[in-house]
Amino acid sequence: MAARLALAAVGPRCSVAVRQLATQRGLWLRLGQCAAAASAAGAVRPARRGFSSSTVAQAAAAATATLSRDEVITSHPYNNVTDSIFQKIGVNLHQQPSHPLGILKGAIYDYFDAQHPGTFTKFDGLAPVVAAKANFDEILIPADHVSRSPNDTYYVDPDTVLRCHTSAHQAEILRQGVRAFLVTGDVYRRDSIDATHYPVFHQMEGVRVFNPDEWQAAGMEPTQFAEAELKRTLEGLAQHLFGAVEMRWVDAYFPFTDPSYELEIFFNGEWLEVLGCGVMQQPILDKNLGPGQKAWAFGLGLERLAMVLFDIPDIRLFWTADQRFLKQFKAGDLTTKFKSYSKYPPCYKDVAFWISDAFTENNLCEIVRSVAGDLAEEVKLIDNFTHPKTGRTSNCYRIAYRSMDRSLTDEEINALQEEVRSTIADKLKVELR
């Protein structure tokens, strides 16, 4: 029954295989620039109408647990999911209480529970395979926005994606009648390779809805009231996590909020962007919950904040199973500062080629990740040349290979580099130099 209910929530646009898994629909894209869980899967409070949020969350978690490779990596020509990405589905680092991401999630939960006891429903097991409609259309992302490109997003088929942000679940949860919620989960984006970017990371989305009685009692206009409540709430969250820090609000643009802001704090001698937020676009609220109400929404990246709080220098460390990393952290403790244990040197290899129409830097990085996995530390453009007569463009990229856990041999790095070279020539149709 739970699976059928979740399936009904998905809608008809998902592929049959994915819909059979009862997946649902599911951050904040780089659009400016571009109570504890009842179970590991679920929400803690039932929705006020329709089927319960706990039922939906548990069905989604079950779908994730049974998701097979053939249902995510398909023969559809639009499919661009790789094995290295599929293997991350269901790991759910944010559900591990002693992991840095789980510690940070717990601290944010503690803040909202203390400030608004019993108010926020928490979802942290929703399936990451979602309808493209939910990921884009239902939160008003324009049809021509760059984030819809297969260069940026992982597609199962034209109508189904790996969620780019936890905002992909926003409309669905509003339709359940839930008026205040936090959604935490893994999100997927094709991206560059360096110490702060990884194709899988974790986000938390927060939403709170207000009714006319609340802003009328305060003697304020609805947008003014929602904005004031938003800023008060998030300034308190920043202080809860970082202490008594200086803060500032920066005007921003997100398709799904207006007005929109980024919250920055002055921490360790520099301004740091903490999150994006704003007053929810009224059409989203009217269509999915009903007219006459106002809401705020925010989205934050757990890795970004955890790297700052815990002094973690490389985003790949979040995925390590090395106990020298994991044993440094304890559930509920935000004071830990990571002590580096790796002294292994990087190995640099260059690859130069004449580019093709199929070449993009994201496509190159996807191949490097597929071949080298987390041994790939950085991919950096070091030379660009356009031939004055032919007009052809040549790029030279430097790939840094490094293991956090051991020394790499010349033989294995040479083998990886040769596979990278042959694969980019075959897949991207570049001419090696």
Side-chain angles (χ1 to χ4, degrees):
M1 179 64 169
R4 290 200 300 273
L5 290 170
L7 174 58
V10 180
R13 295 187 62 190
C14 289
S15 66
V16 172
V18 175
R19 292 180 67 242
Q20 286 173 341
L21 291 166
T23 55
Q24 302 169 44
R25 306 172 298 99
L27 156 126
W28 294 71
L29 294 165
R30 293 166 301 227
L31 296 172
Q33 295 173 300
C34 174
S39 70
V44 299
R45 295 171 56 240
R48 299 187 183 181
R49 69 168 185 250
F51 51 87
S52 73
S53 54
S54 59
T55 297
V56 175
Q58 288 161 4
T64 301
T66 60
L67 204 61
S68 73
R69 181 185 182 279
D70 290 343
E71 289 155 330
V72 177
I73 302 177
T74 72
S75 60
H76 195 288
Y78 221 68
N79 187 282
N80 62 352
V81 183
T82 63
D83 278 301
S84 63
I85 296 301
F86 171 74
Q87 290 164 7
K88 299 293 192 292
I89 296 176
V91 176
N92 295 328
L93 297 176
H94 63 288
Q95 294 181 355
Q96 302 174 22
S98 296
H99 190 278
L101 301 183
I103 295 169
L104 179 56
K105 182 193 78 173
I108 298 172
Y109 279 6
D110 289 346
Y111 170 76
F112 279 96
D113 287 343
Q115 295 297 311
H116 307 284
T119 300
F120 283 83
T121 302
K122 305 179 184 71
F123 300 86
D124 76 346
L126 300 180
V129 180
V130 301
K133 178 181 178 181
N135 198 71
F136 299 119
D137 301 327
E138 292 190 333
I139 52 174
L140 308 184
I141 294 176
D144 60 351
H145 196 276
V146 65
S147 64
R148 293 178 181 256
S149 167
N151 189 55
D152 287 9
T153 294
Y154 290 104
Y155 279 83
V156 175
D157 59 46
D159 297 324
T160 313
V161 301
L162 299 186
R163 64 183 168 213
C164 302
H165 45 201
T166 46
S167 301
H169 299 289
Q170 188 180 100
E172 172 68 28
I173 294 173
L174 287 172
R175 287 196 291 270
Q176 295 174 34
V178 185
R179 300 177 62 86
F181 55 87
L182 301 171
V183 179
T184 313
D186 46 339
V187 299
Y188 299 77
R189 297 186 199 166
R190 303 176 88 240
D191 212 337
S192 54
I193 297 178
D194 59 35
T196 61
H197 292 91
Y198 201 80
V200 189
F201 55 104
H202 298 76
Q203 288 188 338
M204 183 181 292
E205 166 98 357
V207 169
R208 187 176 186 188
V209 181
F210 302 96
N211 60 48
D213 291 344
E214 293 174 278
W215 61 74
Q216 290 168 4
M220 301 171 72
E221 294 298 317
T223 298
Q224 179 189 26
F225 176 79
E227 180 181 335
E229 286 295 305
L230 169 72
K231 291 182 174 180
R232 179 187 61 79
T233 299
L234 297 182
E235 286 173 359
L237 174 61
Q239 291 174 335
H240 176 71
L241 296 176
F242 293 95
V245 292
E246 183 181 354
M247 290 175 276
R248 68 184 183 189
W249 291 96
V250 180
D251 290 341
Y253 164 75
F254 305 110
F256 26 70
T257 54
D258 183 33
S260 302
Y261 303 98
E262 291 173 349
L263 175 60
E264 296 183 351
I265 63 171
F266 195 72
F267 189 75
N268 288 342
E270 61 181 353
W271 286 102
L272 169 72
E273 178 192 335
V274 175
L275 50 80
C277 63
V279 177
M280 187 181 293
Q281 287 277 15
Q282 201 61 38
I284 299 176
L285 200 55
D286 291 350
K287 181 176 181 179
N288 296 290
L289 185 63
Q293 300 167 91
K294 212 71 181 176
W296 56 244
F298 75 84
L300 58 82
L302 292 180
E303 278 88 347
R304 177 178 175 81
L305 298 187
M307 290 177 80
V308 174
L309 280 168
F310 300 119
D311 286 348
I312 296 171
D314 193 312
I315 196 168
R316 293 175 299 163
L317 282 164
F318 291 109
W319 294 91
T320 185
D322 195 313
Q323 291 299 309
R324 291 174 293 177
F325 175 79
L326 296 174
K327 284 186 175 180
Q328 294 189 39
F329 303 96
K330 184 172 66 173
D333 186 0
L334 285 176
T335 65
T336 300
K337 299 300 180 185
F338 171 67
K339 296 180 176 61
S340 180
Y341 56 84
S342 176
K343 304 188 186 303
Y344 303 108
C347 178
Y348 298 102
K349 294 288 183 179
D350 295 348
V351 57
F353 47 83
W354 297 104
I355 68 172
S356 67
D357 291 340
F359 170 79
T360 69
E361 187 167 297
N362 278 356
N363 285 341
L364 171 64
C365 290
E366 198 67 24
I367 288 172
V368 173
R369 282 196 179 99
S370 295
V371 172
D374 286 351
L375 295 181
E377 179 176 74
E378 184 179 44
V379 174
K380 183 178 181 180
L381 180 65
I382 61 171
D383 186 62
N384 174 271
F385 167 74
T386 300
H387 195 286
K389 293 184 178 179
T390 66
R392 299 179 71 194
T393 297
S394 171
N395 286 348
C396 181
Y397 281 87
R398 178 157 293 163
I399 304 174
Y401 298 95
R402 189 204 309 245
S403 171
M404 298 281 184
D405 310 322
R406 61 185 178 85
S407 292
L408 301 175
T409 67
D410 288 340
E411 290 78 6
E412 65 181 315
I413 294 303
N414 289 338
L416 290 174
Q417 182 70 2
E418 186 54 39
E419 186 175 351
V420 166
R421 287 173 56 86
S422 62
T423 305
I424 63 174
D426 178 49
K427 300 293 186 183
L428 304 183
K429 308 305 179 185
V430 300
E431 182 182 336
L432 297 172
R433 299 185 64 193

